[in-house]
Amino acid sequence: MTPTIAPRVRTLVLLLLAAVCALLAGAGPVSAHAAVTGSDPAQGAVVDQAPSRISLSFSEQVALSDDSLRVLDPDGKRVDTGKPSVVGGTTYAVRLQPGLSDGTYTVAYQVVSADSHPVAGAYTFSIGAPSKTSVAVSGQGADDGVVGWLYNFGRYVSYAGFIVMAGGAAFVLACWPRGSGVRPVQRFVVSGWLALTAATLALLLLRGSFTGSGKVTDIVDLSLLGQVLQTKTGAALVSRLLLLAAAALFIAVLFGAYDKREDPQEKRDLTFGLAIGGAVVAAGLAASWAMSEHASVGIQAGIAMPVDVLHLLAVAAWLGGLGALLVALYRAPAGTPVDASAVRRFSRVAFGSVLVLIVTGTYQSWRQLGSWSAFTDTRYGQLLLAKIVLVVVLLGVAWISRRWTGRLAQTVPAAAERQKVRAGAGASGDTEAALDAGVAPAGESAAEEPGAGKSSAETPTGTPAEPTDETPAEPADAERAAQLARQRAARDAARQKRLRDADPNRFGLRRSVLAEAGVAVVLLAVTTVLTQTEPGRTEQEAKAATSSSSSSSTADAATSGALTLNMPFDTGGQDGKGVVTVDLDPARVGANEMHVYVERPDGQAFDIPEVKVEFTLEAKDIGPLPVVPDHLATGHWSANGVQIPMAGDWQVDVTVRTSDIDEVTVTKNAQIG
């Protein structure tokens, strides 16, 4: 690197690092990708009677653990019983202990959304009247601490590693085959493989704590690791590790057997094989993200996942190839500089990648935003706008690089001709031209190299002395010859580097590509933050649902959510006592979803031979309207599309049969509609 370029490079690198650090610092905790759209009881609600359970509805399906839903009384003691369960669609519930006293209760939840991100939060409701509570309500999740920071950093490194490895290898194979023997380029690609492998292993170990307690000590908990391996994200990370083993074999062949092939036909055959194998491995690695993150959930997931794979491959081909080109321009040996044809080929690859990015990015933006207002009203939309601006800037700098490439291509023949002239001058005795060609001029002895002194095996007149017993001539001569050879090689390399750097077109290309790489680093940081941000469509739907629920609750408590009726029963036979609970959602005119739960007096769910429900509106002489729910799980029955024809004070009759002869009907009135 020339003295004039070095300060500029250092300054630009420092600016880029500062920009990336600012992005990482401003990113904050990972935004939840599944949002709470409703709850029963609602946040801040005051209910007359203690509910038999609490339920939460999310914008998408979530994964539950035994402690995903916790309910705490005013003293901070848990009052939930059993494991959380799915009660329908994206609604999840946990049963409560019977006979809860009046006061304020806290509901804390921590689940994992379908796109692998943890969702945590808490809210309160009251029975009878609000009271003081010793429980501190906080929305902080496990991903906000040290483990969360490490996990998010691992995600950044994994994306960067994939882009460097896949894009760098593609640059060598498609644009500059000679680069397979260039050490700096080899180190660039291998560093990408090492970064991706290390980050994947770290993510696998951190995952259990990241979605759970958030404690550093849980990182080495093998039981948590076993649970992670059974999840979609765990399977994706393990698949990534297996594919990285295949990628290691690909890299070994690319920088080993491929570089040593001399026969043109053999090299073409090996190029074709490596291209097919590399594309399959790269697509598989890209799919390990697509199958476990944004693309795998939401609308049109079957289309979104392959589109996401294409998007990631295009990013790698463009930005990873750009990084490899930058390394080649600055670090390639003077004897094997990157040629103009390689730069032109990369320019075509980059152009094709940009076209793919535009098409796939437009589709993904529509899918994740859903409306124009989401561009400015949501954090996802704002980050997407920043990404679009950076892409436009990057394209502008790339256009400048393309102009320098054209100029460089025009000067290559002239440079080759000058090299021939220098070589011919060296053969005819022109000292300066011969030095430019890297050959010692005629009449200049090795001992006259700059900095070289007389050998101890020479006489004062320069004539070699006769070896004696006291003068070990041969080892000294060999050592001196090796030293002179190293000096000559260093001088020749420095001269060739000066000649190469003196080309104004190559100098301009290096500066523009360096600027491209700087913008690409910031673009990658913004993109990675974007993948961890709640999609605009989801954020707007959650806001709309929350607003609608709040308005309905203010207008009419009867229409704020599901209706819950708890009715004790006793059929008189063995195991004939218990509590039957009927949940009707949304408890209004039209189609409703009904769930029936049967529990023993101690709160344990149990099955009975038969349960039936009838609805009667005596004031209008309507009914009874019978409903026979389907059995779903132990103590749980359900029916969809339960029609309530009009609003009113409905009588709900539940017939419970605990044996062939033991049966009872319990009744309760409720305002519906």
Side-chain angles (χ1 to χ4, degrees), residues 157-169:
V157 174
S158 65
Y159 274 115
F162 171 74
I163 289 173
V164 167
M165 179 190 70

Side-chain angles (χ1 to χ4, degrees), residues 230-293:
Q230 299 176 19
T231 65
K232 182 172 66 173
T233 302
L237 291 172
V238 171
S239 300
R240 194 179 300 167
L241 286 174
L242 295 176
L243 288 166
L244 281 169
L249 179 60
F250 170 87
I251 292 172
V253 174
L254 179 63
F255 295 142
Y258 181 76
D259 180 50
K260 296 176 182 177
R261 285 286 189 275
E262 298 293 342
D263 183 78
Q265 183 60 42
E266 289 184 2
K267 194 140 190 171
R268 281 195 297 270
D269 293 342
L270 188 54
T271 300
F272 179 78
L274 285 173
I276 297 297
V280 171
V281 173
L285 289 169
S288 68
W289 278 284
M291 66 181 288
S292 61
E293 297 192 353

Side-chain angles (χ1 to χ4, degrees), residues 444-654:
E444 181 180 353
S445 69
E448 293 171 349
E449 295 288 342
K454 297 287 185 181
S455 170
S456 61
E458 295 180 346
T459 64
T461 61
T463 305
E466 292 291 330
T468 64
D469 294 339
E470 294 78 21
T471 306
E474 292 184 1
D477 287 344
E479 180 180 352
R480 184 60 180 165
Q483 179 184 3
L484 293 175
R486 288 193 297 270
Q487 291 176 348
R488 186 178 294 109
R491 184 192 64 185
D492 293 344
R495 181 178 295 109
Q496 292 183 37
K497 188 174 185 299
R498 286 197 304 272
L499 291 172
R500 182 191 67 188
D501 293 343
D503 186 348
N505 296 313
R506 185 177 294 275
F507 179 78
L509 178 63
R510 289 169 63 176
R511 286 190 302 176
S512 63
V513 171
L514 180 62
E516 277 189 80
V519 178
V521 170
V522 180
L523 177 62
L524 176 60
V526 173
T527 301
T528 310
V529 175
L530 193 65
T531 63
Q532 303 173 31
T533 304
E534 181 180 346
R537 183 189 295 269
T538 303
E539 183 178 339
Q540 286 194 325
E541 288 176 353
K543 289 179 180 178
T546 303
S547 175
S548 175
S549 175
S550 176
S551 299
S552 298
S553 177
T554 303
D556 187 356
T559 63
S560 63
L563 171 70
T564 300
L565 301 175
N566 297 313
M567 292 175 276
F569 66 86
D570 184 0
T571 62
Q574 185 177 4
D575 290 333
K577 291 185 178 182
V579 177
V580 59
T581 300
V582 178
D583 285 348
L584 195 66
D585 190 8
R588 61 185 61 167
V589 175
N592 291 262
E593 183 177 356
M594 185 181 73
H595 291 271
V596 180
Y597 302 90
V598 177
E599 297 177 341
R600 301 183 190 277
D602 60 1
Q604 182 179 0
F606 74 108
D607 282 336
I608 58 176
E610 185 180 20
V611 59
K612 295 186 297 185
V613 181
E614 294 180 340
F615 295 87
T616 304
L617 185 59
E618 294 182 351
K620 298 295 183 179
D621 197 21
I622 299 176
L625 306 177
V627 179
V628 180
D630 298 321
H631 184 258
L632 295 182
T634 301
H636 184 194
W637 289 258
S638 175
N640 293 320
V642 177
Q643 292 292 331
I644 302 298
M646 65 175 58
D649 186 19
W650 287 82
Q651 177 181 306
V652 183
D653 300 317
V654 183

Side-chain angles (χ1 to χ4, degrees), residues 106-172:
T106 302
V107 179
Y109 57 90
Q110 183 169 324
V111 298
V112 180
S113 64
D115 59 1
S116 79
H117 296 274
V119 183
Y123 72 93
T124 62
F125 72 94
S126 301
I127 300 175
S131 68
K132 292 183 179 180
T133 176
S134 61
V135 181
V137 179
S138 173
Q140 182 177 12
D143 60 312
D144 294 344
V146 175
V147 171
W149 188 91
L150 290 173
Y151 191 88
N152 295 331
F153 181 74
R155 286 172 52 83
Y156 288 111
V157 174
S158 65
Y159 274 115
F162 171 74
I163 289 173
V164 167
M165 179 190 70
F171 174 79
V172 171

